[in-house]
Amino acid sequence: MKTIRIGSGAGYSGDRIEPAVELAEKGDIQYLVFECLAERTIAIAQGAKLKDPTKGYDPLLAERMQAVLRLCRDKGIRIITNMGAANPAAGAAKTREIAQSLGLKGLKIAALSGDDVLETLKSGGHRIEETGAPVSSLADKLVSANAYLGAAPIVEALKAGADVIITGRVADPALFLAPQIFEFGWSMEDWDRLGKGTVVGHLLECAGQVTGGYFADPGAKDVAGLARLGFPIAEVREDGGAVITKVAGSGGAVTTATCKEQLLYEIHDPATYFTPDVVADFSRVRFTQEGPDRVRVAGATGRARPETLKVSVGYIDSYIGEGQISYAGPAALARGRLALEIVRERLALTGVRTTELRFDLIGVDSIHGSALSTAEAREPYEVRVRVVGRTDSLKEAVRIGNEVETLYTNGPASGGGATKSAKEVVAMLSALLPRGLAKPALDYVEA
């Protein structure tokens, strides 16, 4: 039975690059997939594109392509990635530029667009899922609206001979499902096989999470070699059966436990996992350890795909200002608490307008707050003060960090290492769009 090997080269935008190189060098893979696009990433990328039409793709696209493009070309490995973010065409152009600098000729690069549905959403009376309000109520706060496309246009690009496929917003599992559909000739209505292929994509999409990275917990779930964690590979058969593994000798571990944790990641109803391609059912999935770092996955099924596509809607929510400063030595905790009280009073005295405020001592109460009882606490030798507030303008946000910085000379004693920042907050909401209103489009360039 025909089998293919798919490697996961990244689980988020800033992920390590050398595990992807290791996959290309030693993984015996036919496909290398980089999943780099989080919910807010594309809205931030849209802002970059508005400032410079040649930008808006993933900031590490060039470094990743520089690292793997020649290897993949030499070994016949095809690359699929959503690093196009808000500007797949510019990402494809940059990839062609890198290919030419490496002397690679005849490399066919596809740019998949059509996920940007901002104008469609503005004009259609569509509603926000979380609030029921019309999308248009966000008015000039709207930054982006991107529909989650499915595997079909990626399959089309593979059929057209693309060596590299650069997309914008595509459902994460679809990046891995597409090569399975292409290689095995699966029908786009073979719901059970699409369900099986989707569970493979779901297990691979976060890269090092399934090989023990996020799983690791010293003393409870020990994992060796995390500094050189190997990223996962799926060996997929034509019938949808699959084994999850990694490069021999790399760090980390692939076990039934690491796979079970990843299976449950970002899942609401395991029996009804909505994707653009299929409503997958993971409720009967089972894992079997077949050998060291080899886990077989079976039991996924699927039902007919939904008639709507999820849309991630990015908007300017607010601004956040923050200031931090450290205290160490005898009575560090008391000085830290005094510092917080001073800043609290100063913000009120000077009239800083906030909609939300936090006053934390990192390492003491910044995560569990008052839930951490005094009996459980100990007197720390050092503390770090953190004051953070949400505001309606950048100008007000800046004032928060400024007040923390004034603690340097205005007391209490011996503060050091002050930092401050202020930033715009892009938040995300959701909408549903009839799938026919999203128009995927493929463009090709060649090195």
Side-chain angles (χ1 to χ4, degrees):
M1 189 178 294
K2 183 177 181 179
T3 301
I4 61 169
R5 287 168 64 93
I6 305 169
S8 176
Y12 79 104
S13 176
D15 217 340
R16 297 171 185 169
I17 294 177
E18 65 269 20
V21 176
E22 182 176 56
L23 285 171
E25 286 181 334
K26 304 176 183 178
D28 192 25
I29 57 175
Q30 287 81 52
Y31 292 90
L32 181 59
V33 179
F34 294 97
E35 196 291 288
C36 298
L37 200 53
E39 281 67 25
R40 276 184 293 185
T41 311
I42 199 162
I44 295 167
Q46 183 66 38
K49 180 184 176 183
L50 289 172
K51 293 175 184 175
D52 181 348
T54 68
K55 302 297 182 185
Y57 53 83
D58 188 277
L60 285 179
L61 178 144
E63 191 172 347
R64 284 198 171 97
M65 291 300 181
Q66 193 76 40
V68 303
L69 212 50
R70 182 182 294 280
L71 266 171
C72 289
R73 180 65 164 169
D74 290 347
K75 291 176 174 282
I77 300 167
R78 300 170 91 168
I79 297 170
I80 302 171
T81 180
N82 54 15
M83 285 193 286
N87 202 344
K94 186 64 178 179
T95 301
R96 177 174 61 178
E97 178 187 316
I98 292 166
Q100 290 172 335
S101 73
L102 295 171
L104 304 179
K105 296 180 179 179
L107 193 76
K108 189 171 185 178
I109 304 160
L112 171 59
S113 59
D115 59 298
D116 186 343
V117 293
L118 181 59
E119 295 307 317
T120 301
L121 219 60
K122 279 181 178 178
S123 61
H126 303 282
R127 297 200 166 268
I128 298 165
E129 287 294 299
E130 290 85 351
T131 66
V135 173
S136 58
S137 67
L138 294 170
D140 58 358
K141 290 186 176 182
L142 268 174
V143 175
S144 63
N146 295 83
Y148 284 79
L149 303 180
I154 303 175
V155 174
E156 183 182 339
L158 291 170
K159 288 179 178 177
D163 302 294
V164 180
I165 302 170
I166 298 174
T167 79
R169 173 59 71 202
V170 170
D172 297 351
L175 297 167
F176 302 87
L177 178 60
Q180 299 173 67
I181 295 169
F182 169 70
E183 291 284 349
F184 303 135
W186 292 347
S187 163
M188 291 302 297
E189 294 183 354
D190 189 340
W191 309 123
D192 276 352
R193 280 197 170 92
L194 296 182
K196 289 175 171 60
T198 295
V199 79
V200 169
H202 180 69
L203 291 170
L204 293 189
E205 68 185 40
C206 295
Q209 286 193 183
V210 79
T211 54
Y214 196 74
F215 172 88
D217 191 359
K221 299 180 295 180
D222 291 308
V223 178
L226 290 175
R228 53 178 313 274
L229 185 67
F231 283 1
I233 300 166
E235 297 176 357
V236 190
R237 295 187 321 210
E238 193 169 352
D239 64 359
V243 170
I244 308 300
T245 185
K246 64 183 184 70
V247 173
S250 61
V254 180
T255 68
T256 56
T258 67
C259 290
K260 287 175 184 177
E261 287 202 8
Q262 177 59 27
L263 181 73
L264 297 175
Y265 177 74
E266 292 186 338
I267 290 290
H268 293 169
D269 180 357
T272 309
Y273 183 57
F274 288 97
T275 80
D277 301 299
V278 63
V279 178
D281 183 349
F282 296 164
S283 63
R284 296 178 181 83
V285 167
R286 57 192 182 276
F287 296 105
T288 306
Q289 194 81 42
E290 291 198 338
D293 298 318
R294 289 185 63 82
V295 173
R296 181 165 295 281
V297 54
T301 58
R303 303 188 299 280
R305 69 187 188 184
E307 290 305 311
T308 55
L309 298 176
K310 179 183 175 181
V311 179
S312 283
V313 180
Y315 68 102
I316 305 302
D317 175 71
S318 57
Y319 299 84
I320 285 181
E322 179 178 346
Q324 296 187 22
I325 192 169
S326 295
Y327 297 92
L333 181 58
R335 282 179 284 135
R337 285 176 173 157
L338 176 56
L340 290 179
E341 289 308 311
I342 292 169
V343 176
R344 189 191 304 270
E345 188 172 353
R346 286 289 305 165
L347 294 177
L349 283 171
T350 59
V352 177
R353 296 184 296 276
T354 64
T355 57
E356 185 181 355
L357 272 171
R358 284 184 62 104
F359 298 88
D360 298 329
L361 292 173
I362 296 173
V364 177
D365 61 7
S366 62
I367 296 177
H368 295 288
S370 59
L372 186 64
S373 70
T374 305
E376 293 171 314
R378 60 178 180 81
E379 182 75 18
Y381 185 78
E382 59 185 46
V383 297
R384 184 145 180 92
V385 164
R386 175 179 182 260
V387 179
V388 60
R390 190 184 303 275
T391 69
D392 291 329
S393 73
L394 186 61
K395 181 180 178 181
E396 290 296 292
V398 167
R399 296 175 68 189
I400 296 168
N402 288 347
E403 283 298 340
V404 174
E405 187 182 58
T406 67
L407 295 170
Y408 261 141
T409 55
N410 292 284
S414 302
T419 59
K420 60 183 179 179
S421 65
K423 63 182 181 182
E424 183 180 75
V425 176
V426 176
M428 304 305 296
L429 292 168
S430 303
L432 295 177
L433 188 73
R435 63 170 57 243
L437 295 181
K439 307 291 185 183
L442 287 162
D443 295 288
Y444 298 92
V445 295
E446 191 167 311

